[in-house]
Amino acid sequence: MCFIDRFGGLFFGVTRMDDGAEVNQESRTIREFVDYPDHKKRSESAEFRANKRRLVVQLDVPCWICGGRQSREVHHIHEWSLWNALDPVKVLNSLHVFDPYGYTHAAGDKPIESPDDIRNLLVLCEVHHRGINTGVHYLTMPIWFPQRAVKDGMAITKAIEHVKEIDNTLKRH
Ligand SMILES: [Zn+2]
C-alpha cells in the first residue's frame, strides 16, 4: 500500500492576474491510496528506448498537452508499476478509445504484452509529465486533461512555486 499526499496546503482565494482579471483559486489536498502489485525493479527496457526514440527523435512528436518540444519524456498511459494488476484485453479496449498516434487502430486486436508497447506511450514535456501542479503524475484528470484545450494566453494551473507565493500572500491578509 502506498499513499501520496498531492499537496500539503489548503487555500481558497481570489487572485488578480496581470491583465487585471480576477480568478477564483482553490487548492485541495488529495490523498491517494494505491495497492501496487508485485513488480520487478523499474529499468528502462530496450523496447521502451526504441519506442521513445521513434516518437521523440524520428517522428518529432511534441508534448500532447502544450505542443512544446522542450525536455520531452514518454509517459505510460497505463502506469508501468500497475501493469501486473491489469487485464491486457481491457487495456487494449481502452487504447482503442485513447489512441493519440493511431498505433492501436493500425495494429487492430494484436494483443498487448508490455506497458512499453508504443500503443501505451504518450509524449509529454517534463512540465506536463512530472511537473508539480502541472504534470499528469501530480494533477487529477479533470484538471490535467483540459490543459490541452486552454485558450491562448490563459492557464488553469501553474507551477507550485507560484501557488506557494499566493498562499503566503493570502496568509498576510
Ligand atoms: Zn507540455
Side-chain angles (χ1 to χ4, degrees):
M1 172 75 77
C2 170
F3 75 84
I4 304 156
D5 269 329
R6 292 294 193 197
F7 187 57
L10 175 67
F11 70 76
F12 298 90
V14 177
T15 297
R16 192 171 292 280
M17 306 302 280
D18 294 342
D19 63 1
E22 287 186 343
V23 292
N24 295 303
Q25 293 196 323
E26 177 186 329
S27 135
R28 297 173 290 157
T29 296
I30 294 171
R31 181 165 287 188
E32 206 172 54
F33 292 86
V34 185
D35 288 320
Y36 288 100
D38 283 342
H39 58 79
K40 291 181 299 199
K41 195 169 179 323
R42 174 79 194 270
S43 62
E44 202 174 83
S45 71
E47 182 185 21
F48 181 80
R49 270 196 302 277
N51 286 333
K52 182 177 178 182
R53 176 175 161 72
R54 180 166 190 176
L55 291 168
V56 176
V57 178
Q58 296 174 337
L59 298 174
D60 195 27
V61 174
C63 171
W64 190 77
I65 289 288
C66 69
R69 287 183 163 79
Q70 294 282 338
S71 306
R72 277 171 290 176
E73 301 177 345
V74 174
H75 171 65
H76 290 93
I77 296 167
H78 293 81
E79 182 60 22
W80 188 91
S81 54
L82 293 174
W83 190 258
N84 289 341
L86 306 182
D87 177 341
V89 173
K90 292 180 181 177
V91 167
L92 196 55
N93 289 343
S94 295
L95 292 174
H96 271 294
V97 176
F98 188 76
D99 184 18
Y101 311 123
Y103 284 109
T104 310
H105 178 73
D109 277 334
K110 182 185 170 207
I112 187 162
E113 290 163 358
S114 154
D116 295 335
D117 188 299
I118 201 162
R119 292 171 283 181
N120 190 46
L121 301 180
L122 185 69
V123 177
L124 296 171
C125 71
E126 184 182 17
V127 169
H128 292 117
H129 188 207
R130 291 178 294 107
I132 296 174
N133 207 42
T134 52
V136 68
H137 283 282
Y138 193 91
L139 294 171
T140 55
M141 192 171 182
I143 308 301
W144 178 79
F145 192 89
Q147 290 183 105
R148 180 177 159 86
V150 290
K151 294 174 180 169
D152 287 345
M154 292 196 76
I156 51 176
T157 61
K158 292 184 178 62
I160 199 74
E161 283 73 19
H162 179 80
V163 174
K164 282 179 180 162
E165 226 174 79
I166 295 166
D167 208 0
N168 289 334
T169 306
L170 290 168
K171 276 183 203 154
R172 285 198 294 270
H173 288 84

